[in-house]
Amino acid sequence: QVQLVESGGGLVQAGGSLRLSCAASGRTFSWFGMGWFRQAPGKEREFVSAITSSGDSTHCEDSVKGRFAISRDNVENTVYLQMNNLKPEDTAVYYCAAALSVAFLKTYRINKWGQGTQVTVSS
């Protein structure tokens, strides 16, 4: 069973950048598609970005395309979310997730969630 621990959140001004990391334990990390979700106060959790188990394909939600980039290192068992040109509407708790495929991630069929990391973007 994979365990996920996020880090890298914080407070940043609009237009700034952050890189989130999600460290996975266990030997099965490379089997899983990995994704990032976010949940703003009073809103439902939403899909942000995903990457296939091999890292050969990525997917992003429309509002973050061109600003966010997901990547993974299957040697270091870590998935990253590079966030550039941040906007106040990106403020949320960001969650890392593991699932059997990108399709499963997009349909919220999640095997494991991380605990979340807060991202706050000031205007």
Side-chain angles (χ1 to χ4, degrees):
Q1 176 74 312
V2 66
Q3 302 295 322
L4 305 174
V5 178
E6 300 99 330
S7 61
L11 173 64
V12 64
Q13 288 188 331
S17 298
L18 284 173
R19 188 175 82 153
L20 305 183
S21 299
C22 174
S25 63
R27 288 186 281 182
T28 59
F29 175 75
S30 62
W31 297 0
F32 289 98
M34 297 296 297
W36 288 94
F37 294 74
R38 66 186 179 186
Q39 188 166 18
K43 294 188 177 181
E44 294 186 352
R45 194 170 298 188
E46 65 174 359
F47 169 80
V48 174
S49 189
I51 188 167
T52 55
S53 57
S54 65
D56 63 349
S57 180
T58 63
H59 304 259
C60 277
E61 189 265 332
D62 286 345
S63 69
V64 306
K65 280 181 181 176
R67 300 189 298 122
F68 290 12
I70 190 171
S71 61
R72 68 188 294 163
D73 185 330
N74 283 351
V75 174
E76 296 295 327
N77 281 8
T78 304
V79 61
Y80 304 97
L81 186 68
Q82 178 67 45
M83 305 186 295
N84 299 324
N85 191 21
L86 282 160
K87 303 176 181 181
E89 52 264 41
D90 295 318
T91 295
V93 177
Y94 282 71
Y95 296 90
C96 176
L100 295 179
S101 69
V102 168
F104 275 45
L105 285 162
K106 287 184 170 182
T107 53
Y108 295 79
R109 288 176 284 176
I110 306 299
N111 287 71
K112 190 68 179 181
W113 291 101
Q115 85 287 354
T117 185
Q118 176 70 47
V119 172
T120 303
V121 184
S122 63
S123 57

